[in-house]
Amino acid sequence: MKLKLAAVLSCIVLSAAFTGGFSASAADNALGDVNGDGMVDSSDATKILMEYSALSVKGSSTLSAAQKKAADADKNGRIDASDSSLVMQYYAYLSTGKSGSLEYFSMNSRSGVSESQYRSASIDEMVRQFNKERSTFGAPPLKVLPYLCDIADIRAGELYKGFSHTRPNGTQVFDMIDERKAPFMYAAENIAMCDKNVDTAFKLWVDSPSHHNAMIRRESTHVGIGLRPDPNVNGRWYWAAVFIECGSSLSGEYIP
């Protein structure tokens, strides 16, 4: 017997924020953690500047391959002063009590980011936060399944027509899942109406027992995230998260 659960949450308050710690473990986010101490801070910014100087003056690197990957904070294929500056900005951001990955922070900090780029970064950031929360309850990490993200994206895009688990055509999200692509023994859907910030939607779900239970359920294995702006209300975004329990590996799955 399949279990199908739905949890609804709406909020128009745009000022909610998630408060977290300063650390960013290498397992969760190695970007920016050049010295590998599990923190992204001023010492990493200093090492990036030293590397930039060595490359500029001597033409040779002082870092390992893994360190060079972490030092390219803006992921533009170069290590320079802008990477050091970004790391310092991120460190200052964390010091205010906020959380989130450097990649997501960078996406929010620069101009010219397309909606598709923002959605992609937001999906990974949301699942990182899901998995961090799950780990505190001893639950294994969820895997992102692009196929479920496509479904969640459709759901997010139609929620402005009616904020409900019943779709405009009268069906539900569970009816959308092709079991040839994602066989499931359990499925659940969380939806939220807020702003486009990952922290806002995440906190809404954490603060709601039914949404939180769907998020941390130990047996769930895969998730898809969708987010779309309301075409009629500036600043309002809709979020959808589709969770399933599947007993096998699925094509395209990954842990961000």
Side-chain angles (χ1 to χ4, degrees), residues 12 56 66 70 93 157 162 165 203 237 251:
I12 306 302
S56 301
Y93 170 80
H165 289 292
K203 188 174 189 301
W237 283 62
S251 177

Side-chain angles (χ1 to χ4, degrees), residues 140-161:
L142 291 168
K143 300 171 185 175
V144 177
L145 186 64
Y147 171 66
L148 287 182
C149 289
D150 291 341
I151 290 176
D153 201 52
I154 292 171
R155 287 290 295 127
E158 63 190 17
L159 287 174
Y160 79 94
K161 300 176 182 179

Side-chain angles (χ1 to χ4, degrees), residues 81-121:
S82 65
D83 296 302
S84 178
S85 176
L86 178 59
V87 166
M88 283 303 299
Q89 292 173 42
Y90 179 59
Y91 176 49
Y93 170 80
L94 292 179
S95 298
T96 65
K98 296 179 181 179
S99 66
S101 68
L102 176 53
E103 183 176 11
Y104 181 67
F105 173 80
S106 175
M107 183 70 67
N108 278 301
S109 300
R110 66 178 191 264
S111 60
V113 176
S114 69
E115 187 177 304
S116 62
Q117 288 175 313
Y118 185 84
R119 287 203 306 272
S120 178

